[in-house]
Amino acid sequence: MFTGLVESKGTLVHKTSRGVDTRLSIRGVLAGNDALSLGESIAVDGVCLTVTRIVEAGGSNAPSIFEADVSAETLKRTTLGELVAGGAVNLERALPIGARLGGHIVSGHVDGVGRIVDKTPVGAAVKVVFEAPTELMRFIAEKGSICVSGVSLTVNGVDEHRFDVVLVPHTRDKTSLDALPTGAPVNLEVDLLARYVARLLAAERDGAHHKDEHLAWLDRLRRAGYM
């Protein structure tokens, strides 16, 4: 699990084709007291990848270089297939147990690819409008959370096919989003809770088994203010 609070703007060193799959070599300063280890999970532009080789271990203030394999399915469903050497990527190590939870709960499983359709300065911030796949829009709510290329953001507005956010100066400086031009693709992961609420509502509507249990969960969500 991740939080969508980017730890480092990393760089794609190079990419190597391995049949239909690809191996990425990535450089970045990765936070944490524990050293980078083989097999750990790192969110790269919001995509959960497994470290398969450590080229340079780095440290809290020194860059690490690690490699990760990306399957053909992930290349097809995310923006990773479009990355070029020298390109910036947002990096976050998995959330350690007992750590402070900022942002929101992010799984690193991308739901779809959206695109930037407009950017407008708002003082020192920038309003960014994204177009999202139609099937994801029902999970995106005003003042809810969304993960965009690994960055936890608050949704400011929503219409039928688009949503917008505001990038504050800190986010502009610490992530790759500010440098992306209009038309650029981004990885989208909707709020995990929104998916479960939608599933519960669908189960209630379709007359699923264990109806009393579903209704009890719906009542809890309403009382907690999620519906």
Side-chain angles (χ1 to χ4, degrees), residues 32 38 53 55 95 101 111 121 130 171-172 174 177 179 188 202:
L38 286 175
R53 180 170 177 252
V55 181
L95 179 69
L101 180 63
D111 293 306
F130 298 93
T171 305
R172 296 181 65 187
K174 297 297 184 182
L177 295 185
L188 300 177

Side-chain angles (χ1 to χ4, degrees), residues 21-161:
D21 304 327
T22 294
R23 174 164 287 191
L24 303 181
S25 179
I26 298 167
R27 177 190 289 111
V29 177
L30 297 166
N33 295 323
D34 53 328
L36 192 65
S37 60
L38 286 175
E40 78 165 272
S41 296
I42 296 181
V44 178
D45 269 1
V47 184
C48 180
L49 298 180
T50 300
V51 175
T52 54
R53 180 170 177 252
I54 299 171
V55 181
E56 293 182 16
S60 58
N61 294 308
S64 301
I65 299 177
F66 67 93
E67 295 181 350
D69 292 326
V70 185
S71 69
E73 176 73 5
T74 300
L75 292 171
K76 181 175 69 173
R77 292 184 175 274
T78 73
T79 63
L80 295 188
E82 301 184 37
L83 286 177
V84 295
V89 290
N90 297 315
L91 302 176
E92 181 190 356
R93 297 181 77 175
L95 179 69
I97 294 175
R100 183 179 293 111
L101 180 63
H104 71 286
I105 296 175
V106 174
S107 69
H109 302 158
V110 172
D111 293 306
V113 174
R115 291 192 179 273
I116 297 175
V117 295
D118 189 54
K119 299 177 73 174
T120 307
V122 183
V126 174
K127 176 182 176 182
V128 185
V129 181
F130 298 93
E131 187 172 70
T134 302
E135 64 271 19
L136 296 185
M137 288 305 303
R138 67 192 180 111
F139 300 115
I140 302 173
E142 184 175 342
K143 303 309 175 187
S145 297
I146 191 164
C147 187
V148 178
S149 290
V151 185
S152 174
L153 297 169
T154 299
V155 178
N156 283 336
V158 180
D159 63 21
E160 187 177 359
H161 300 290

Side-chain angles (χ1 to χ4, degrees), residues 164-187:
D164 64 82
V165 304
V166 171
L167 304 182
V168 297
H170 179 82
T171 305
R172 296 181 65 187
D173 180 55
K174 297 297 184 182
T175 77
S176 67
L177 295 185
D178 192 48
L180 296 178
T182 300
V186 292
N187 294 319

Side-chain angles (χ1 to χ4, degrees), residues 193-205:
L193 180 60
R195 282 200 168 278
Y196 283 106
V197 169
R199 181 68 185 93
L200 285 165
L201 289 172
E204 180 185 34
R205 183 179 62 248

